[in-house]
Amino acid sequence: MLAKLLRPLTERLFASLNARGPEPLAQAQAAGPIVYVLRSVSIVDALAVTHLNSAWGLHSLGYVHDVSPFVRNTIAAAYRTASYPSLVSTLEADANAIIFMRRPPSLFEPTPRGASDGDDPLSVIFDFHRRSGRDVTLVPLTLLWSMRPEKLFLSPADVLFGSTDMPGDARSLLQLLTNLGHGAARVCAPLSLRQFLASQAPQTSDYTLFRRLSYSVLRKIERERRAAVGPARKPIERLTAEVLRSPKLSGLIDDLAKGDVENKRALLGKAAGILKELVATPNTDLVTAVEPLLDRIVQRVWSRVDVSELELNRVRDRARLGTVVLLPSHKSHVDYLILSYVLRKNLLELPMIAAGDNLSFFPVGPMLRRGGAFFIRRDFKGDRLYAATVDAYIRRLIKDGWSLEFFLEGGRSRTGKLLSSKLGLLNIVVDAALQETLHPIAFVPVHIGYDRTMEDFELALEKAGAPKERESARSLLAVADALSYSYGAVTVSFGPPIDLEAHLQSLGLVRSQELTPAKRRSVVTALAHKVEASIQQHAKLTAGTLLATELLDMQLRGVNLAGLLMRTNRLLKVLIRSGATPAEGLLLESGQLNPAAVSETLGIFVRGKLVREHRHDQTLTRTLSSSGGVLRDPVYTVSDESRSRLELAKNAILHFLWDRAVLSAAFHAKESRSVARSALLEEAEQLDALLGLDLPMHRLEPTKERLGAALEDMLLFGELQEHEAGLRVGPGNGDADAMVWLISHRAHLIATIESARIALQAALQLSASSPIEERALVSRALGIGREMFLRAEIDKREAVSAPGLQAAFTSFVKRGLLRRNQGHIAWTEPASEGALIEMDRRLLAYQFGGDARGGRT
């Protein structure tokens, strides 16, 4: 009766907990009774498990270990004692039970920390299994009422009411009430008692079995909690002292001091000062306090944040085992915010985040520090003490079990493409990880994609040559203005974790082996390439990326909604064939493109002035209506000024289209209607090498094999066909004529080709004897590009891009057309002019086809 009266209250208190249990629990229940195992005795936890057990539709609870008679009678009405015969009766009746492994240490419960209170009920469960032969499933369960981590030392409140990780009843109730609606239950992997005993040696003593089983379930519970809240916190003074005592830093200070005691004291003081400006001071209370505001901002600015539960579970599994290092792509200042938001909402530890010191200004810096950010100077080349202090701090974080997060690209991408990795910080982390044996370490690639990037206008200006403005308190006003717009969907994709041990083995190395500097560099470089490939492979297709690509690359001046849907659906099919994965909500259950997703994102682009919507004059509309004329749909166009902003979304998926685009451009460049397979692949390889330097993709796969695989799919799809004389235009397929496909593929490459042509025109103004500073050359090329666009020598306004021009000049240097020396560029020799002119002719052929006068297309 009492249980029924309390049910409405418990349902309200525990409404935030999982409403549905994992599928394995239903299977385990069919095999026999379930025993929930919790870390420490708690009335609140017992009531919560009762609620969950009922919500999951499992057998009723008949036994609760070590709680007051009032609570026990409320929960397990059928069995009103805590005696072990009652536990046996519960199991015999096929009912479920709850046992606790520890009592929380406090002033009122002086049981020593770590006492084993759960062994007695475990022995009863063992005896029941042996007598009856029935299986019992132990389900370790972690209940989180607070995201506060454990502390190394007990405070006065901890002494009175139990610690945050093992709270007493009073503290548990306080945590529940102060975090009402934010509690969470994490179900660890169920453990079959029959399977556990079968895995043990036959002569193992019962005491040893109890200890092993107790350790196994407690380890599962602790790992689950650790994955959610992170390691125990240390006072900042203790952390500083431990960093300063690290052998590597101490050795450097001794070396720099050269035996001078005063000099050593000064160097220690300087290192302590570096740490003061470096270290993070994570504060879970502040994060909890600002979480409601963050929720409102995210819901206001973005239509949704998509993340795969399967991918999250892979990260959680690795976090249970040890340390994870998150390596996200970097396209926006809000990447920090979005990734932390996703981790927090999915009960994963907030990592320590390496950030540039450009973000350490007041008031942003102090807030970010409390969110886990530590600030590193952008440039400390030659400062050995600073480098050693950063190294020692990161080593300490890894040793203490912290998860880390940093951007391999170093800074934000100005183009939407993934930038080549900067290996400095990765070197430090890998070097520290190689010496850490306590926590297995895995690196997790993360792709963060936006329908529309919040700083798209700022980034477009920088691409056009405007200097980057340093972040300051004044820039917060721009952020406040940006929050008044809608930016569509955000997708966060986690690639499979890359285990460091497995990575070493793939290179034929082992951790215990002393690695030479060259081998260490190869380990780090190969790891960076794996991360880059995984980030790009896990970039999800969204309505924003599809629309941006189609609107920028279509040959039409404008298109109505029906035409845009048709063309976008066609593009989607190619992308899926190329290995891309659609984001949640992009497709209908039938597998077709969701028109509502396209319309919603198109509206966001229109309101953000990236796309223009042209409606008919109202007077004309009334005239047509009264005369029975046909009213046409709105037409959508992209202004020249907006193209560079839209390109940020297009470039996020360009790598999926790249191989087909390169092959199509190479095919069009040939004057003959038939091209030998070997000749086409050779031409495509040269074009790929020329234009693909700023696209660090597929480095783990040889270019010839990658292009060969794409060519085979184009043959299979009917875009090309093979006959005796070679390759020619194919028969097409049900979606479009083959020539339509080939032209649309090549269109994805036009802006890149035009950037190279602009760079060539600027290079032709150089000489072998008069080097020019590269920054000045890029500025000159931007001016040339604007003139070429106004004279209609190029079509794509987004081709006038500083990053694109820099990539082109680097490519010319690599091919020997130009030489770079101490930041200056010049011809390699007087004959460079002829080679550059010949290169321009080839680029025209790639762009227009045939002999560069238009050719077949």
Side-chain angles (χ1 to χ4, degrees), residues 661-682:
V662 167
L663 285 163
S664 296
F667 181 78
H668 279 90
K670 297 296 184 180
E671 298 182 26
S672 172
R673 292 183 178 273
S674 296
V675 182
R677 175 190 284 260
S678 59
L680 178 61
L681 286 173
E682 183 180 354

Side-chain angles (χ1 to χ4, degrees), residues 173-493:
L173 183 59
L174 181 62
Q175 288 178 344
L176 171 64
L177 296 177
T178 54
N179 294 278
L180 198 60
H182 296 281
R186 300 299 311 170
V187 180
C188 309
L191 193 155
S192 163
L193 185 56
R194 176 179 289 137
Q195 293 177 5
F196 172 78
L197 290 174
S199 68
Q200 305 299 308
Q203 304 304 319
T204 307
S205 68
D206 282 355
Y207 176 80
T208 302
L209 290 174
F210 296 158
R211 296 266 44 84
R212 288 177 181 173
L213 183 61
S214 174
Y215 174 75
S216 178
V217 293
L218 281 171
R219 183 176 57 178
K220 287 175 181 285
I221 292 169
E222 179 56 32
R223 283 180 171 179
E224 197 66 51
R225 178 177 177 82
R226 162 68 180 76
V229 302
R233 301 298 195 262
K234 292 179 178 178
I236 193 68
E237 296 80 10
R238 173 172 172 173
L239 176 66
T240 300
E242 289 177 346
V243 172
L244 293 176
R245 286 200 304 267
S246 65
K248 196 171 180 180
L249 178 58
S250 297
L252 176 71
I253 289 175
D254 288 339
D255 182 50
L256 294 175
K258 301 184 185 304
D260 188 315
V261 176
E262 288 299 320
N263 198 10
K264 181 176 180 178
R265 186 178 294 114
L267 288 167
L268 281 169
K270 186 177 180 182
I274 292 170
L275 278 174
K276 187 175 182 180
E277 71 176 40
L278 174 71
V279 298
T281 54
N283 186 318
T284 53
D285 291 337
L286 178 64
V287 172
T288 300
V290 302
E291 191 170 3
L293 175 61
L294 179 58
D295 287 341
R296 293 189 64 181
I297 291 175
V298 170
Q299 292 164 12
R300 165 68 186 83
V301 175
W302 292 283
S303 58
R304 63 185 180 278
V305 179
D306 293 330
V307 61
S308 163
E309 186 175 351
L310 175 64
E311 294 173 357
L312 276 169
N313 286 337
R314 283 194 309 226
V315 179
R316 183 174 286 110
D317 288 343
R318 285 302 315 199
R320 292 184 184 119
L321 295 176
T323 298
V324 295
V325 180
L326 300 165
L327 300 172
S329 59
H330 196 16
K331 299 175 184 175
S332 170
H333 281 316
V334 296
D335 292 336
Y336 301 98
L337 173 74
I338 290 295
L339 186 51
S340 294
Y341 176 84
V342 166
L343 296 174
R344 178 81 173 183
K345 289 300 178 186
N346 290 280
L347 298 179
L348 281 164
E349 173 196 353
L350 292 182
M352 296 293 237
I353 307 168
D357 64 350
N358 57 311
L359 295 177
S360 63
F361 62 89
F362 182 83
V364 172
M367 291 286 289
L368 291 179
R369 282 187 196 277
R370 286 162 176 77
F374 59 95
F375 297 103
I376 301 178
R377 295 174 192 168
R378 288 291 184 180
D379 183 19
F380 51 90
K381 194 172 183 179
D383 190 335
R384 295 174 63 196
L385 182 62
Y386 187 88
T389 305
V390 171
D391 177 82
Y393 176 62
I394 291 176
R395 287 174 185 274
R396 173 47 56 184
L397 294 180
I398 291 175
K399 195 171 187 65
D400 287 347
W402 279 97
S403 293
L404 299 178
E405 174 191 332
F406 61 93
F407 299 109
L408 265 185
E409 298 166 270
R412 287 177 301 160
S413 170
R414 266 61 182 172
T415 64
K417 300 175 183 177
L418 187 70
L419 302 178
S420 296
S421 298
K422 305 293 189 295
L423 302 182
L425 194 52
L426 186 62
N427 268 307
I428 293 175
V429 172
V430 169
D431 190 50
L434 288 172
Q435 300 177 38
E436 175 55 44
T437 58
L438 185 61
H439 306 286
I441 293 176
F443 297 84
V444 182
V446 186
H447 181 271
I448 306 175
Y450 302 90
D451 274 346
R452 180 189 168 195
T453 306
M454 183 174 285
E455 308 98 309
D456 58 4
F457 189 76
E458 168 198 334
L459 295 175
L461 288 177
E462 291 179 20
K463 282 199 293 181
K468 178 185 180 297
E469 291 188 14
R470 182 175 176 82
E471 290 77 9
S472 65
R474 286 182 57 191
S475 60
L476 294 178
L477 299 175
V479 172
D481 178 64
L483 294 179
S484 63
Y485 295 93
S486 177
Y487 295 89
V490 183
T491 58
V492 181
S493 309

